[in-house]
Amino acid sequence: MITKKLRQELLTLSPSEKTEIIQLLDGINKTPKVVGGAARIRNTRIPVWSLFQSHQMGTSDLDILEAHLDLTQTDLLNAWLYAETFPDEIEQEIAVNEAD
């Protein structure tokens, strides 16, 4: 039932919106016992919130990529898109991790 509704909604998206959804589904994972269940890049232990926080603080994509050699520019684009799509989730993750 959910799949049927989702399929109907996906068919109404523009090509660029569909591309964004594919990137989200392909590049971001969430697993309950990995990095506290936070959204993370592919099958790494690098949470989106930490990359986004660095980005907000002015760290360039190049500097982030140099610090995380296993990431690609596509991974960062997926992270920025995820953070833009789910800003409340990312801000909450940042707040929780700053409090620790």
Side-chain angles (χ1 to χ4, degrees), residues 59-96:
T59 306
S60 71
D61 285 8
L62 181 59
D63 287 340
I64 293 171
L65 291 172
E66 287 176 352
H68 299 280
L69 298 177
D70 50 342
L71 296 184
T72 66
Q73 184 63 45
T74 299
D75 292 328
L76 294 185
L77 293 175
N78 287 339
W80 308 157
L81 180 59
Y82 188 91
E84 180 182 312
T85 305
F86 303 102
D88 294 339
E89 175 186 331
I90 297 302
E91 290 301 322
Q92 181 180 4
E93 290 288 340
I94 289 171
V96 165

Side-chain angles (χ1 to χ4, degrees), residues 18-35:
K18 288 176 186 175
T19 299
E20 289 179 10
I21 296 298
I22 290 167
Q23 287 177 339
L24 279 174
L25 295 174
D26 189 38
I28 306 295
N29 299 117
K30 288 174 99 174
T31 307
K33 294 186 179 182
V34 180
V35 295

